[in-house]
Amino acid sequence: MTRVSASSSRTLKPRKDGKSISKKKGVASSSGPARPKRPPIAFLLFMEDFRKSYKEEHPENKSVSAVAKAGGERWKSMSLAEKSPYIGKAVEGKVDYDKVMESYNENENVKEDEAEPAASSEKSTSESTPEVEDDEEDSS
């Protein structure tokens, strides 16, 4: 008797429309190598600083989960005034990101517009319908 592993028993079957199903989930098709990275949120900016100070204070602790847990507890206990430098940096990063994304999207639209005229001219000729004159109905 042969054993079949769970991973080998899963096969991808084509859908009814003939397209295959992709295993990757959550990956946007518009994300490319030239697409700008999103800026870090305030908590992640805080964690960069916190990791450095935590490792200096606890050099024997090598656990990533311990550092993350301590950082999360510290962030929760901080006042808004203590968080404000990180929030300010995050807002600045978001503003810069929005500007970069605006120019990126404009460049993407230009690329699509360059490719679109050939496709739209073919589409318009095939979809054009002749005008019907209603002269016969008017004369009665």
Side-chain angles (χ1 to χ4, degrees):
M1 179 179 214
T2 59
R3 286 180 87 179
V4 177
S5 68
S7 62
S8 66
S9 65
R10 295 180 191 165
T11 57
L12 295 178
K13 296 179 181 177
R15 298 186 320 195
K16 290 182 180 180
D17 60 0
K19 296 180 180 178
S20 64
I21 301 169
S22 174
K23 281 188 176 184
K24 273 192 172 179
K25 292 182 182 178
V27 177
S29 61
S30 64
S31 63
R35 185 179 176 97
K37 286 182 68 175
R38 293 179 67 185
I41 60 174
F43 175 71
L44 293 179
L45 292 171
F46 162 75
M47 283 302 292
E48 286 178 16
D49 293 340
F50 181 78
R51 274 188 212 97
K52 292 174 188 171
S53 63
Y54 187 85
K55 287 186 179 187
E56 288 174 2
E57 294 172 9
H58 304 90
E60 73 285 346
N61 190 349
K62 304 286 184 188
S63 174
V64 174
S65 61
V67 176
K69 190 175 224 180
E73 289 172 3
R74 173 73 178 113
W75 179 258
K76 287 178 186 177
S77 67
M78 291 172 65
S79 68
L80 186 59
E82 293 172 315
K83 292 179 182 179
S84 64
Y86 302 107
I87 294 171
K89 288 179 188 177
V91 169
E92 289 174 10
K94 177 72 170 140
V95 169
D96 293 340
Y97 172 75
D98 289 340
K99 289 177 185 175
V100 172
M101 276 304 293
E102 188 175 312
S103 65
Y104 174 79
N105 288 333
E106 287 174 2
N107 291 338
E108 287 297 311
N109 289 340
V110 169
K111 290 177 185 177
E112 289 175 7
D113 289 343
E114 290 173 355
E116 194 172 292
S120 64
S121 64
E122 292 172 11
K123 196 177 205 180
S124 63
T125 57
S126 63
E127 290 182 1
S128 62
T129 56
E131 293 183 23
V132 178
E133 295 182 19
D134 294 334
D135 289 341
E136 294 176 15
E137 293 178 17
D138 292 339
S139 62
S140 337

